[in-house]
């Protein structure tokens, strides 16, 4: 006669060996297909998040990261910041467990935005770990599921972290308020062209910027200009020059405003060129490992047009 305990042990073993996550993911996929047929897109997005969470629980961090990343743009567009914050933090966790440097850096920077519903202490912790990455050190193991394998994966990922991480600030929640313009609407051909950029940090934690650049566009040429001078201002609307800062001291504080001055030699362009400011670039990190934050100025091009002409001979 079969012992009842043996039967229970067999049932427990079968239950333990069964791939529950695989079954759940399969059912979620079927439900998503059904919601797609009836165009219930919000329900479908919710199920996609559930599927990503199940991938995360099952240890398939790469697939979880892919799904969470896809959902980020949707919830960011909808401006459901409570849900968006939860998805961003899950994406951040998946990026850490996957040892994905670009995603980890991008999520860390977006987590600085005031639209993300996190505490100041949480932002400081994220920022400290971000700087560990820039210094070539693995982030601290403060995520569930981290272990020796994750640390080894990070060591390997950081060895290959040789190219800058590009973060498009136009596609993530705002962390800077920028106002860039030419100081004059036009100039004689041999005069210097001057550009002024006003910056204010929107986050509550200080951000150290290694360099600020603008890209000046003409019909035939694009020129990247580095800031010649940076001043700390009393307010964003003030035109009075404040304290001049050295590039190594560009600690952008939330309660302060800054003005960066750029200049270009007009002789590298041709007569009647219409110049425009294409984008602003902020470099954050160290000499070898860093991120470049891009801020486009195409939305206010009517303020950033410049006409170059020859003066009277």
């Amino acid at each position: 006669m079969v012992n009842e305990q043996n039967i229970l042990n067999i049932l427990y073993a079968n239950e333990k060996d069964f791939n529950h996550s695989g079954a759940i993911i399969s059912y979620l996929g079927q439900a998503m297909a059904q919601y797609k047929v009836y165009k219930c897109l919000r329900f479908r997005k919710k199920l996609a998040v559930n599927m990503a969470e199940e991938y995360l629980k099952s240890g398939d961090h790469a697939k979880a990261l892919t799904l969470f990343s896809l959902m980020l743009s949707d919830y960011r567009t909808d401006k459901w910041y409570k849900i968006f914050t939860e998805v961003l933090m899950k994406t951040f966790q998946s990026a850490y467990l996957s040892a994905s440097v670009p995603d980890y850096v991008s999520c860390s920077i977006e987590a600085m935005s005031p639209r993300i519903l996190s505490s100041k202490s949480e932002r400081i912790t994220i920022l400290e770990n971000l700087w560990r990455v820039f210094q070539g050190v693995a982030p601290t193991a403060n995520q569930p599921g981290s272990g020796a394998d994750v640390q080894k994966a990070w060591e390997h990922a950081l060895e290959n972290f040789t190219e800058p991480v590009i973060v498009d600030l136009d596609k993530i929640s705002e962390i800077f308020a920028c106002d860039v313009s030419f100081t004059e609407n036009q100039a004689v051909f041999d005069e210097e062209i001057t550009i002024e950029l006003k910056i204010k940090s929107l986050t509550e934690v200080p951000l150290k910027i290694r360099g600020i650049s603008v890209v000046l566009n003409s019909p035939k040429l694009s020129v990247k200009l580095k800031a010649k001078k940076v001043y700390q201002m009393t307010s964003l609307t003030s035109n009075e020059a404040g304290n001049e800062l050295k590039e190594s001291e560009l600690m952008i504080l939330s309660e302060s405003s800054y003005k960066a001055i750029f200049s270009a030699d007009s002789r590298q362009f041709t007569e009647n060129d219409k110049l425009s400011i294409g984008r602003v670039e902020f470099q954050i990190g160290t000499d070898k490992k860093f991120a470049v934050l891009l801020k486009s100025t195409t939305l206010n091009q009517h303020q950033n047009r410049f006409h170059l002409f020859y003066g009277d001979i």
Side-chain angles (χ1 to χ4, degrees):
M1 185 174 179
V2 180
N3 189 307
E4 182 179 353
Q5 185 61 44
N6 291 338
I7 295 175
L8 291 175
N9 290 338
I10 293 172
L11 291 174
Y12 289 149
N14 290 336
E15 184 72 11
K16 184 178 180 181
D17 294 337
F18 183 74
N19 186 358
H20 292 277
S21 290
I24 293 171
I25 290 168
S26 176
Y27 291 139
L28 286 171
Q30 294 174 32
M32 287 172 63
Q34 190 73 0
Y35 281 125
K36 183 178 181 180
V37 170
Y38 292 99
K39 298 182 180 179
C40 303
L41 299 182
R42 286 183 176 173
F43 280 104
R44 189 168 180 267
K45 285 191 288 187
K46 177 63 172 67
L47 293 179
V49 172
N50 292 147
M51 183 182 288
E53 290 173 341
E54 198 59 43
Y55 276 125
L56 189 60
K57 291 177 184 177
S58 69
D60 197 339
H61 306 133
K63 286 186 179 178
L65 176 60
T66 300
L67 264 179
F68 279 130
S69 299
L70 290 173
M71 293 301 102
L72 273 181
S73 59
D74 288 343
Y75 284 114
R76 187 187 294 114
T77 302
D78 292 340
K79 297 183 179 180
W80 290 5
Y81 290 112
K82 187 177 189 308
I83 300 175
F84 177 74
T85 298
E86 295 175 0
V87 176
L88 178 66
M89 291 299 104
K90 290 289 179 66
T91 310
F92 179 71
Q93 181 184 354
S94 302
Y96 169 75
L97 295 174
S98 303
S100 174
V101 174
D103 292 292
Y104 188 87
V105 170
S106 180
C107 288
S108 298
I109 291 172
E110 185 160 16
M112 299 299 106
S113 171
R115 297 188 183 278
I116 306 306
L117 307 180
S118 299
S119 65
K120 185 175 182 179
S121 60
E122 289 173 331
R123 295 188 212 277
I124 291 173
T125 300
I126 292 172
L127 191 59
E128 288 174 348
N129 275 315
L130 176 61
W131 275 98
R132 286 175 64 90
V133 171
F134 288 143
Q135 292 165 355
V137 181
T140 55
N142 56 357
Q143 298 290 340
S146 59
D149 292 342
V150 175
Q151 289 297 308
K152 288 181 180 179
W154 267 102
E155 290 173 5
H156 178 71
L158 290 172
E159 288 176 1
N160 297 322
F161 179 21
T162 56
E163 297 294 327
V165 177
I166 305 300
V167 180
D168 190 343
L169 295 179
D170 294 324
K171 295 182 179 179
I172 67 173
S173 303
E174 291 183 335
I175 61 173
F176 289 117
C178 297
D179 181 17
V180 60
S181 61
F182 294 100
T183 55
E184 301 290 342
N185 292 328
Q186 60 183 16
V188 178
F189 183 67
D190 59 351
E191 289 182 348
E192 191 174 67
I193 301 169
T194 304
I195 298 171
E196 182 179 280
L197 169 66
K198 294 181 180 179
I199 312 162
K200 185 175 178 63
S201 174
L202 302 178
T203 183
E204 59 185 347
V205 295
L207 295 175
K208 187 176 182 180
I209 305 297
R210 288 190 56 82
I212 307 173
S213 306
V214 296
V215 175
L216 183 60
N217 294 330
S218 74
K220 298 179 181 179
L221 183 66
S222 291
V223 180
K224 182 183 289 189
L225 308 173
K226 291 187 177 181
K228 286 196 170 182
K229 294 182 179 180
V230 180
Y231 300 95
Q232 185 173 1
M233 312 300 291
T234 55
S235 69
L236 190 62
T237 57
S238 174
N239 289 321
E240 297 180 4
N243 298 324
E244 184 176 350
L245 305 176
K246 296 181 180 179
E247 188 169 327
S248 59
E249 298 175 349
L250 291 180
M251 186 67 72
I252 306 296
L253 306 175
S254 59
E255 65 272 14
S256 300
S257 302
Y258 302 83
K259 180 190 290 185
I261 305 297
F262 308 83
S263 61
D265 187 350
S266 62
R267 289 173 294 183
Q268 60 190 310
F269 304 103
T270 57
E271 182 188 9
N272 293 323
D273 267 356
K274 292 183 179 180
L275 309 182
S276 62
I277 303 166
R279 66 177 182 270
V280 179
E281 297 185 3
F282 302 94
Q283 182 177 322
I284 180 172
T286 61
D287 287 334
K288 295 182 179 180
K289 302 182 188 296
F290 59 92
V292 178
L293 316 184
L294 308 181
K295 181 72 174 174
S296 173
T297 60
T298 54
L299 296 179
N300 58 344
Q301 281 296 329
H302 63 282
Q303 299 176 355
N304 296 325
R305 293 291 183 182
F306 185 91
H307 184 67
L308 188 64
F309 67 99
Y310 283 110
D312 296 332
I313 299 177

